[in-house]
Amino acid sequence: MADTSQPQSRVGRPPRLSREAVLDAAEEIVELDGPEALTMRRVAEGLGSSPMALYRHVRDKDELLVLLLDRLARRLPRPELSADPRQRALQVLRVFHDGGAANPWVAGVLAAGDAMAPSVLPMIEEILAAFVACGMSPAQAGAAYRRCWQFTVGELMVVHGGRRHVQSLGRRPVQLSILDAVDGTVMPTLAQLVGYWEAARSQDTYAQDIAGIVDGLLAGR
Amino acid sequence: MADTSQPQSRVGRPPRLSREAVLDAAEEIVELDGPEALTMRRVAEGLGSSPMALYRHVRDKDELLVLLLDRLARRLPRPELSADPRQRALQVLRVFHDGGAANPWVAGVLAAGDAMAPSVLPMIEEILAAFVACGMSPAQAGAAYRRCWQFTVGELMVVHGGRRHVQSLGRRPVQLSILDAVDGTVMPTLAQLVGYWEAARSQDTYAQDIAGIVDGLLAGR
DNA sequence: ACCTGAACACCGTTCAAGT
DNA sequence: ACCTGAACACCGTTCAAGT
C-alpha cells in the first residue's frame, strides 16, 4: 500500500510548501489588503512558516509579483472573437483593460518595471494580426498596438490605479491632492476636471476612448 | 548694525532647516539615485541633521514627493503658443510629456496616488481652452483632455517609466522580464514587440501618437 | 520654536544550522 | 532537500527630552 511513494529521487526532507502554495497565500493578501500589504513576512505568516522558507520557491519579492501578474493573465477570459478585425482588436484590448481594472494592484506592478506576463503573448499576437487584417503593415500594427497599450496602462493608472484606498490607519484622512492644494479656492476648471475624472470612474469611458484611438489609427492608413 | 533681526515674533530657537532646504536635499537624491533611494533618513543625512528634524517642515514622505512634483511642474517651460488651437493643445501636452520623460521618477510618483501639482492647473486650462477653440463643448474638451493625459501617463510609464535602471547592487543582473520568461524560445511576435518598444524609446513616437489621438478626437466632433 | 536620541514596529534578505 | 532562528542593514514615524 501507500503507492504514493515515487521510486525516483527520494532524498532529503519532503517539501511542505510549494510555489503554488506561496502564490495562493500572496494572492489572498493582495486581494484583501492591496499590493502594499504584500510582504514576505505576511505571506510566510499566512502559510504558518518562516519568512525564509519562501525563498526556496521564489527568487525574491519581485519575482513573486511577476508570477502573480502572470497567474492573473492566465485566467483572463478568451472571448468569442468577432469576424471583423477592428472589433477583434477592441475585444482583446477590453479583456486586458477589464482584467487590470478588476484588480487595481496590477497598475502598480506594471508601473514597477519591465515585468510582463508571458501568458499574454498569444493575445498580443491576436491584436497584431487583427491590425494587419485591417490593412496595416506589421510595423504599423506594432506601433498601433503600442499606442493602444500605452493608453490602456495610463487609464488603469489614472482611473483604476493604485490609489491608497481608504487605508487611513486612523490618522490623517486628508491627502495633499489637487483638491486641497489650491487652498480652498476651487477654480472653475478644477471643479470641471474633478467631474471628468469622476465620470471616467463611474461611466465606461474606456470603450469610447480606445475605439476612438483605434479609429484614428485606421484613418491614418 | 545687524538689521536682519525681525522686530516681530522672536521666540524660541531660530530655524536651521527650511522646507526649501529639505526639498533641495530631496531633489538631489532623487536626481542622483532615483525615487526609490529617497528616504527620510538619507535626506536628513544630506542636511547633516536628524531624520526627525524634517517632520517640522514636511508632514510626511508622501507630502515630500508631491512637493517635489509641484516644484518640477513650476519649472516647466511656457512655450510661445501657436495661433492654431490644435497646435496649441499639442504644444502644452508635449511640455507635460517632456517634463516627465526628463525626470523618470515622475511616472512612479504619478502612479502612487491622486497626487497632483497645483501649478499645472493653468496649463490644463490652456489645453481645455484650445479644445473649445477647436469647436468642442466644455464637456467634450474635458473628455478629450482626459484621453490625452491618460495616454501621456501610459507613455511615461511604459517608455520612460520607473525601470529599475541598472541599479544591480552587484547581485542578480537578470530580471524576470518578458525576455527570459518564455525560457529562451523567442517567438517572432516577441522579437517584433521588443523592437517596437525599443523604437519608442529611441525615436520620438510621442509626437506622432498624441497628434493621432488629438486628430481622432477632432474628427469625432 | 526648533531640533535630537532613543525607541517602536516594521521591512527584504543572508547565513549557518537543524532535520 | 527543505525549513528554521538569529541576525544584518535598513525603513517611516512617535514621543519625551534638550536648547
Side-chain angles (χ1 to χ4, degrees), chain A:
Chain A
M1 47 197 88
D3 59 347
T4 55
S5 62
Q6 286 96 8
Q8 295 283 89
S9 64
R10 177 54 89 79
V11 274
R13 188 169 172 172
R16 207 174 59 79
L17 268 42
S18 69
R19 173 173 276 205
E20 222 47 36
V22 171
L23 287 175
D24 285 340
E27 193 176 17
E28 198 184 330
I29 293 169
V30 104
E31 213 110 293
L32 239 65
D33 297 336
E36 71 283 350
L38 184 71
T39 69
M40 300 304 265
R41 293 172 125 102
R42 261 199 69 175
V43 174
E45 195 185 358
L47 291 164
S49 74
S50 97
M52 282 317 299
L54 309 180
Y55 288 83
R56 190 110 334 232
H57 304 277
V58 132
R59 189 167 44 190
D60 55 17
K61 200 188 168 183
D62 283 354
E63 196 190 59
L64 209 174
L65 278 168
V66 176
L67 291 171
L68 232 42
L69 190 63
D70 187 53
R71 180 183 254 217
L72 187 146
R74 211 188 315 273
R75 290 204 200 113
L76 288 178
R78 302 301 183 100
E80 204 81 36
L81 289 178
S82 159
D84 175 29
R86 171 183 171 282
Q87 205 59 40
R88 223 151 59 218
L90 289 176
Q91 279 179 299
V92 182
L93 284 164
R94 172 146 276 282
V95 170
F96 282 166
H97 171 268
D98 290 354
N103 306 73
W105 58 274
V106 170
V109 177
L110 287 175
D114 350 48
M116 231 187 134
S119 36
V120 299
L121 280 176
M123 305 180 75
I124 294 177
E125 199 156 26
E126 190 68 60
I127 297 177
L128 291 172
F131 281 143
V132 169
C134 287
M136 293 189 190
S137 74
Q140 287 173 328
Y145 168 66
R146 199 176 36 65
R147 191 187 290 182
C148 292
W149 173 243
Q150 283 170 12
F151 173 78
T152 303
V153 169
E155 213 267 353
L156 290 176
M157 208 97 256
V158 173
V159 180
H160 311 273
R163 332 232 142 264
R164 295 192 253 293
H165 311 294
V166 185
Q167 202 211 5
S168 58
L169 321 165
R171 21 172 215 97
R172 180 170 62 90
V174 273
Q175 183 98 357
L176 201 152
S177 80
I178 197 174
L179 282 170
D180 55 353
V182 205
D183 56 330
T185 48
V186 177
M187 299 163 64
T189 294
L190 184 50
Q192 284 173 18
L193 256 190
V194 172
Y196 303 143
W197 247 246
E198 286 309 316
R201 210 158 305 165
S202 52
Q203 293 157 236
D204 182 13
T205 56
Y206 179 75
Q208 211 182 326
D209 285 328
I210 197 69
I213 288 172
V214 166
D215 288 341
L217 284 159
L218 294 176
R221 193 95 342 169

Side-chain angles (χ1 to χ4, degrees), chain B residues 82-89 125-142 144 218 221:
Chain B
S82 159
D84 176 29
R86 171 183 171 282
Q87 205 60 39
R88 223 150 59 218
E125 199 157 24
E126 189 69 61
I127 298 177
L128 292 172
F131 281 143
V132 169
C134 287
M136 293 189 190
S137 74
Q140 286 173 329
L218 293 177
R221 195 90 348 167

Side-chain angles (χ1 to χ4, degrees), chain B residues 26-199:
Chain B
E27 193 176 18
E28 197 184 331
I29 293 168
V30 104
E31 213 110 291
L32 239 65
D33 298 336
E36 71 282 350
L38 184 71
T39 70
M40 300 304 265
R41 293 173 125 101
R42 261 199 69 176
V43 174
E45 195 185 359
L47 291 165
S49 73
S50 97
M52 282 318 298
L54 309 180
Y55 288 84
R56 188 99 348 219
H57 303 277
V58 132
R59 189 166 44 191
D60 56 17
K61 201 189 168 182
D62 282 355
E63 196 190 55
L64 210 173
L65 278 168
V66 176
L67 290 171
L68 232 43
L69 190 63
D70 187 53
R71 178 182 255 220
L72 186 145
R74 212 189 314 272
R75 289 205 200 113
L76 287 178
R78 302 301 183 99
E80 203 82 34
L81 288 178
S82 159
D84 176 29
R86 171 183 171 282
Q87 205 60 39
R88 223 150 59 218
L90 290 176
Q91 279 178 300
V92 182
L93 284 164
R94 172 146 277 280
V95 170
F96 282 166
H97 172 267
D98 290 353
N103 306 72
W105 58 273
V106 170
V109 177
L110 286 175
D114 351 47
M116 232 188 134
S119 36
V120 301
L121 280 176
M123 304 181 75
I124 295 177
E125 199 157 24
E126 189 69 61
I127 298 177
L128 292 172
F131 281 143
V132 169
C134 287
M136 293 189 190
S137 74
Q140 286 173 329
Y145 169 66
R146 201 176 34 66
R147 191 188 290 183
C148 292
W149 173 244
Q150 283 169 11
F151 173 77
T152 303
V153 169
E155 213 267 354
L156 289 176
M157 209 97 255
V158 173
V159 180
H160 311 273
R163 332 231 142 263
R164 294 191 255 293
H165 313 294
V166 185
Q167 203 214 4
S168 57
L169 321 164
R171 18 170 221 99
R172 180 170 61 91
V174 274
Q175 183 96 359
L176 201 152
S177 80
I178 195 174
L179 282 170
D180 55 352
V182 204
D183 56 329
T185 47
V186 177
M187 300 162 63
T189 293
L190 183 50
Q192 284 173 18
L193 256 190
V194 172
Y196 302 142
W197 248 244
E198 286 310 316

